[in-house]
Amino acid sequence: STLFPYTTLFRSKGSAFKPYRDGVMEVGATTRWESCSWASTLSTHDCKWAAKEAGADFAIYWSFDQEKGVLRPTCHWNPPDHVAAVKAATGNSELYTTESYQGVLGELKPGDGFVGKAYKEAHAMFIPDLSAALDSEYPRKQLATKYGVVSLALKPMGDGVMEIGTS
């Protein structure tokens, strides 16, 4: 690659970039992110780390269910102050992350919606303005609107997709 000639030198197969302080932080791997075996055991702690590192308001990890052929949320994280604010405002503890587990919203086929597309195409995606997304592209658009979700970033990892977002 002309942009990253050092990837050949160091045998890097996957990189992630994040604005950090006065520059950019790069994290690289000598295996593809998609083949990282540790990604299949992601936990709430990992979702918290992903959200905090990216400056996001939440994270959801979607794992591929081999038996049913769908992606399902298997862990998530929201900042405690956000959880408390939503509960105070609505009287219940439902959130964008928790409602994403429910019914057909919690089962996405590869290629369906942004999560399914990121998984099927094995490419990271960034959607800076969800209000401009078509309902057909984003089955959880009404849910995002309900909870004020503004933007999403999605990264295939292991046998699933990490979704982080802002509200």
Side-chain angles (χ1 to χ4, degrees), residues 13-78:
K13 305 250 194 248
S15 296
F17 300 91
K18 179 190 178 307
Y20 185 75
R21 296 186 185 166
D22 293 330
V24 175
M25 180 187 306
E26 176 188 5
V27 178
T30 56
T31 60
R32 291 174 44 112
W33 290 111
E34 294 81 5
S35 63
C36 293
S37 60
W38 52 264
S40 63
T41 59
L42 290 177
S43 68
T44 299
H45 174 77
D46 300 303
C47 286
K48 177 180 178 179
W49 180 87
K52 286 187 156 212
E53 285 299 306
D57 295 322
F58 66 86
I60 304 171
Y61 183 70
W62 295 78
S63 295
F64 185 68
D65 180 333
Q66 297 280 346
E67 189 175 303
K68 292 201 172 190
V70 296
L71 290 148
R72 293 181 161 180
T74 54
C75 65
H76 71 275
W77 181 80
N78 294 91

Side-chain angles (χ1 to χ4, degrees), residues 1-166:
S1 161
T2 55
L3 285 176
F4 304 107
Y6 63 86
T7 58
T8 303
L9 177 65
F10 294 105
R11 297 186 181 126
S12 176
K13 305 250 194 248
S15 296
F17 300 91
K18 179 190 178 307
Y20 185 75
R21 296 186 185 166
D22 293 330
V24 175
M25 180 187 306
E26 176 188 5
V27 178
T30 56
T31 60
R32 291 174 44 112
W33 290 111
E34 294 81 5
S35 63
C36 293
S37 60
W38 52 264
S40 63
T41 59
L42 290 177
S43 68
T44 299
H45 174 77
D46 300 303
C47 286
K48 177 180 178 179
W49 180 87
K52 286 187 156 212
E53 285 299 306
D57 295 322
F58 66 86
I60 304 171
Y61 183 70
W62 295 78
S63 295
F64 185 68
D65 180 333
Q66 297 280 346
E67 189 175 303
K68 292 201 172 190
V70 296
L71 290 148
R72 293 181 161 180
T74 54
C75 65
H76 71 275
W77 181 80
N78 294 91
D81 57 333
H82 179 72
V83 174
V86 169
K87 190 171 186 175
T90 65
N92 69 50
S93 56
E94 288 296 322
L95 302 161
Y96 171 79
T97 51
T98 59
E99 285 200 46
S100 290
Y101 286 75
Q102 298 173 13
V104 295
L105 296 178
E107 293 189 347
L108 300 171
K109 292 181 181 179
D112 289 352
F114 293 133
V115 172
K117 185 176 180 180
Y119 179 81
K120 185 176 182 177
E121 296 179 5
H123 288 288
M125 296 178 69
F126 176 61
I127 301 90
D129 180 9
L130 285 172
S131 67
L134 301 174
D135 290 346
S136 61
E137 295 176 308
Y138 187 45
R140 294 177 296 142
K141 184 175 180 178
Q142 289 182 0
L143 189 61
T145 300
K146 175 180 174 181
Y147 289 104
V149 177
V150 175
S151 64
L152 291 180
L154 303 122
K155 174 72 177 147
M157 298 180 76
D159 205 13
V161 174
M162 180 65 77
E163 171 187 352
I164 59 173
T166 61

